[in-house]
């Protein structure tokens, strides 16, 4: 038998797994803490966890485990369409986490030699999804203040098949100004470029309803909008996300996706989660209050530099602390707290960290540990 590696497609041979936060098990091994004892600020999900109604629905769906799930996620797609209004089930595709849809989208639309463009820094799986198709993505570096340089971005976009955008962006926690966003989409439309717009964190932004472009999918037939049940809904481990676009895009994705991609527990929980408005309301109030509190407390650490976050996480430049992000992460881990060292993000140096907004008690533990670790004044 030849070495297995010699049988692998070239572009797959060179793939490397993307680095993510929330690696609690690895952190436990490294620090000696039990995984349950580690306070995870590296993953920016609902600190209250999922709605009880969603959990009850998942439990109720245990009885369906012996059968295949609905391969089309029909009920869930219908509930998503009704939730937003103005769209139909035919405008919705559901994935095993929103990440599956990044890979599916790239696989479906990237032909040999096609160009894909994305900002740097941004979420790393867009790059991996493009690389898996055999192509190498192009990166448009964000400005010093981490905004998109609109005109330069449009120039870079010339001839691109696909553009990835994240609003608000991970890891910077910044919204793309609406004018910049629609300018890019309109420019893309003129040259038949598809725009993959990740709105996974938009539900944490106060005026989400006026900022989402879901209402514009007919105006922009080149636009695909990504959403997730991982973030504000807290169904993180169940893996369910969705995309919204015009029917032509959705039809091809539905044909190309793997069958039974979303399990029956995830489908049931997501339907119930979307209907539980009360849980969303409580979550949003908590995030608003705690974001404001953390902003004040983190602001007291003079060596930290950050902008007010648009999403539910802070993106902090720590270079004046004299520590690298890896140093700070290690020192925090010794106190049982996991933060995200952002060094792995393309376009960043080794001095940025990301921390999620959690409950008051947890946020107090974060601040106490940071103050013990970093010179506060
Ligand atoms: C911007 C962004 N989009 C998508 C994802 C993946 O979400 P999902 O759990 O739905 O695959 C993440 C995860 O961190 C993310 O930060």
């Amino acid at each position: 038998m030849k070495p297995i590696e010699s049988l692998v497609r070239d572009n797959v041979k060179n793939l490397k797994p993307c680095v993510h936060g929330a690696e609690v098990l690895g952190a436990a091994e490294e620090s000696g803490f039990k995984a349950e004892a580690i306070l995870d600020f590296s993953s920016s999900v609902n600190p209250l966890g999922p709605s009880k109604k969603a959990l009850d629905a998942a439990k109720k769906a245990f009885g369906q485990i012996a059968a295949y799930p609905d391969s089309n996620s029909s009920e869930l797609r219908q509930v998503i369409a009704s939730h937003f209004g103005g769209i139909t089930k035919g405008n919705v595709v559901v994935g095993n986490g929103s990440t599956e849809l990044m890979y599916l989208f790239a696989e479906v639309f990237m032909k040999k030699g096609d160009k894909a463009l994305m900002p740097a820094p941004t979420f790393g799986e867009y790059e991996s999804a493009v690389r898996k198709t055999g192509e190498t993505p192009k990166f448009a570096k964000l400005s010093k203040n981490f905004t998109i340089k609109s005109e330069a971005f449009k120039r870079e976009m010339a001839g691109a098949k696909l553009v990835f955008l994240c609003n608000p962006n991970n890891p910077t926690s910044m919204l793309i100004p609406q004018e910049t966003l629609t300018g890019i989409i309109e420019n893309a439309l003129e040259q038949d470029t598809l725009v993959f717009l990740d709105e996974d964190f938009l539900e944490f932004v106060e005026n989400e309803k006026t900022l989402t472009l879901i209402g514009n999918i007919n105006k922009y037939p080149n636009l695909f909008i990504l959403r997730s049940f991982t973030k504000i809904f807290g169904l993180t481990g169940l893996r369910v996300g969705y995309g919204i676009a015009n029917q032509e895009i959705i039809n091809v994705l539905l044909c190309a996706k793997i069958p039974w991609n979303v399990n029956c527990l995830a489908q049931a929980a997501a339907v119930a989660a979307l209907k539980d408005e009360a849980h969303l309301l409580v979550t949003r109030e908590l995030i608003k209050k705690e974001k404001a509190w953390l902003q004040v407390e983190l602001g007291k650490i003079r060596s930290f530099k950050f902008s007010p976050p648009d999403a539910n996480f802070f993106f902090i430049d720590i270079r004046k602390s004299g520590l690298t992000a890896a140093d700070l992460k290690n020192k925090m881990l010794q106190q049982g707290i996991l933060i995200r060292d952002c060094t792995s993000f393309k376009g960043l140096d080794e001095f940025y960290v990301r921390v999620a907004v959690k409950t008051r008690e947890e946020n107090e533990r974060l601040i106490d540990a940071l103050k013990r670790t970093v010179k506060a004044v």
Side-chain angles (χ1 to χ4, degrees):
M1 178 80 191
K2 287 182 189 171
I4 294 298
E5 203 194 322
S6 69
L7 306 177
V8 176
R9 280 169 54 204
D10 286 342
N11 53 305
V12 174
K13 220 183 262 179
N14 298 323
L15 289 181
K16 300 257 180 324
C18 195
V19 177
H20 291 293
E23 280 156 356
V24 176
L25 291 179
E29 230 170 80
E30 211 177 291
S31 64
F33 279 97
K34 283 196 172 140
E36 315 80 78
I38 291 181
L39 194 48
D40 183 11
F41 277 87
S42 73
S43 171
S44 307
V45 300
N46 190 332
L48 300 175
S51 116
K52 184 173 176 310
K53 289 181 180 162
L55 291 180
D56 288 345
K59 279 182 207 150
K60 220 166 138 199
F62 276 12
Q64 299 167 21
I65 286 178
Y68 279 100
D70 172 13
S71 190
N72 292 317
S73 299
S74 288
E75 186 190 0
L76 177 54
R77 286 167 58 220
Q78 183 56 58
V79 170
I80 291 167
S82 308
H83 174 78
F84 289 106
I87 59 169
T88 70
K89 178 176 128 184
N91 296 116
V92 184
V93 59
V94 176
N96 191 268
S98 65
T99 302
E100 184 191 20
L101 300 175
M102 294 167 201
Y103 282 79
L104 178 64
F105 201 85
E107 181 192 2
V108 161
F109 290 108
M110 289 294 289
K111 294 183 189 170
K112 197 166 171 37
D114 277 348
K115 171 173 160 185
L117 179 70
M118 60 195 68
T122 195
F123 185 54
E125 294 292 352
Y126 314 141
E127 174 181 352
S128 299
V130 171
R131 288 196 188 279
K132 199 169 169 203
T133 69
E135 301 307 319
T136 306
K138 294 256 181 300
F139 296 94
K141 202 164 179 335
L142 295 178
S143 74
K144 258 183 141 186
N145 302 326
F146 299 106
T147 56
I148 289 184
K149 296 183 232 165
S150 184
E151 291 313 309
F153 194 91
K154 284 185 204 156
R155 275 196 303 279
E156 295 265 7
M157 206 165 69
K161 175 67 161 292
L162 182 48
V163 168
F164 287 90
L165 292 171
C166 187
N167 193 37
N169 192 31
N170 177 10
T172 60
S173 204
M174 280 173 66
L175 282 165
I176 304 169
Q178 212 68 353
E179 238 179 65
T180 305
L181 191 55
T182 52
I184 290 172
I185 296 167
E186 278 164 19
N187 196 282
L189 184 59
E190 281 167 22
Q191 52 168 47
D192 298 326
T193 301
L194 294 163
V195 178
F196 186 100
L197 176 63
D198 184 337
E199 290 190 353
D200 276 10
F201 285 107
L202 195 64
E203 280 145 323
F204 287 103
V205 179
E206 256 176 72
N207 43 348
E208 176 221 345
K209 294 228 156 50
T210 59
L211 295 174
T212 180
L213 291 188
I214 287 174
N216 291 32
I217 53 163
N218 293 322
K219 182 173 168 195
Y220 301 133
N222 60 332
L223 178 64
F224 178 87
I225 296 171
L226 190 73
R227 290 286 182 118
S228 181
F229 284 96
T230 289
K231 309 295 181 192
I232 202 158
F233 294 101
L235 296 177
T236 318
L238 279 179
R239 311 302 304 132
V240 49
Y242 59 99
I244 295 180
N246 76 74
Q247 291 211 359
E248 269 185 87
I249 290 182
I250 297 299
N251 282 345
V252 64
L253 297 175
L254 288 174
C255 292
K257 77 171 185 66
I258 61 163
W260 312 296
N261 57 329
V262 183
N263 71 71
C264 60
L265 307 186
Q267 290 189 39
V271 164
L274 209 53
K275 290 179 179 170
D276 191 352
E277 301 265 345
H279 187 65
L280 283 185
L281 206 69
V282 173
T283 302
R284 287 195 174 109
E285 273 167 17
L286 175 88
I287 295 290
K288 185 177 170 187
K289 196 162 133 237
E290 291 309 311
K291 204 154 87 163
W293 186 84
L294 268 177
Q295 195 168 314
V296 171
E297 295 302 316
L298 287 167
K300 290 179 186 167
I301 305 176
R302 293 258 196 92
S303 56
F304 281 7
K305 192 176 145 210
F306 59 90
S307 298
D310 287 319
N312 59 324
F313 51 88
F314 284 75
F315 175 62
I316 309 170
D317 178 341
I318 64 160
R319 75 192 63 235
K320 288 206 173 130
S321 70
L323 299 170
T324 64
D327 293 336
L328 183 59
K329 179 185 168 186
N330 287 336
K331 286 175 188 290
M332 292 296 283
L333 196 52
Q334 285 161 20
Q335 301 169 71
I337 294 177
L338 182 60
I339 63 169
R340 175 73 153 100
D341 164 4
C342 292
T343 310
S344 65
F345 283 90
K346 198 165 242 96
L348 292 182
D349 63 19
E350 67 273 37
F351 295 109
Y352 293 92
V353 298
R354 195 190 67 203
V355 291
V357 176
K358 294 173 78 77
T359 63
R360 176 61 57 91
E361 203 188 327
E362 293 167 327
N363 295 336
E364 279 173 351
R365 275 188 59 195
L366 173 79
I367 294 295
D368 288 347
L370 282 173
K371 283 183 175 165
R372 274 195 295 273
T373 312
V374 180
K375 252 181 118 193
V377 283

